């Protein structure tokens, strides 16, 4: 299964790959989305602080893929990419979070 791209910062973690293996529909959708879209899902799943949240995001990712959605919703995007600068909206959200 194609899981990531050498040009992007994230590699698919085992728990996400296991969940994809358990769903043929999600696995097929995963193979169909772009490497950038896979990177967004991976970053979204792995950016959590709690295991409970991570597990929930994996469930949501599988559900979204099964429904044909190609990106995680309400996600500012991967801030770890080095191939392009962060957008103004990403910077704003990260700055706002850091003030909390």
């Amino acid at each position: 299964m194609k899981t990531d791209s050498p040009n992007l910062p994230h590699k698919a973690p085992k728990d996400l790959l296991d969940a994809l293996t358990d769903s043929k529909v999600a696995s097929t959708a995963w193979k169909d989305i772009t490497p950038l879209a896979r990177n967004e899902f991976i970053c979204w799943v792995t950016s959590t602080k709690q295991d409970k949240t991570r597990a929930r995001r994996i469930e949501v990712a599988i559900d979204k893929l099964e429904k044909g959605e190609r990106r995680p919703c309400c996600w500012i995007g991967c801030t770890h990419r080095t191939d392009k600068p962060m957008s103004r909206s990403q910077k704003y959200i990260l700055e706002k979070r850091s003030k909390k």
Side-chain angles (χ1 to χ4, degrees), residues 55-95:
R56 177 70 185 133
R57 284 191 181 177
I58 289 173
E59 289 175 20
V60 170
I62 298 303
D63 184 61
K64 286 180 175 297
L65 289 164
E66 288 176 342
K67 291 176 179 174
E69 296 179 36
R70 303 178 74 80
R71 301 275 184 174
C73 174
C74 309
W75 177 241
I76 64 170
C78 178
T79 58
H80 306 101
R81 291 177 57 195
T82 57
D83 61 325
K84 69 176 190 115
M86 274 194 271
S87 69
R88 283 187 283 164
S89 61
Q90 285 176 317
K91 289 177 186 177
Y92 172 78
I93 291 169
L94 291 173
E95 183 178 308

Side-chain angles (χ1 to χ4, degrees), residues 27-43:
S27 177
T28 300
W30 183 261
K31 293 172 190 171
D32 186 51
I33 62 176
T34 66
L36 183 59
R38 288 192 291 270
N39 185 73
E40 294 290 321
F41 272 111
I42 295 165
C43 186

Side-chain angles (χ1 to χ4, degrees), residues 10-38:
H10 299 291
K11 305 290 183 220
K14 184 179 180 337
D15 52 352
L16 178 58
L17 291 176
D18 289 346
L20 286 165
T21 301
D22 291 342
S23 170
K24 184 170 177 61
V25 173
S27 177
T28 300
W30 183 261
K31 293 172 190 171
D32 186 51
I33 62 176
T34 66
L36 183 59
R38 288 192 291 270

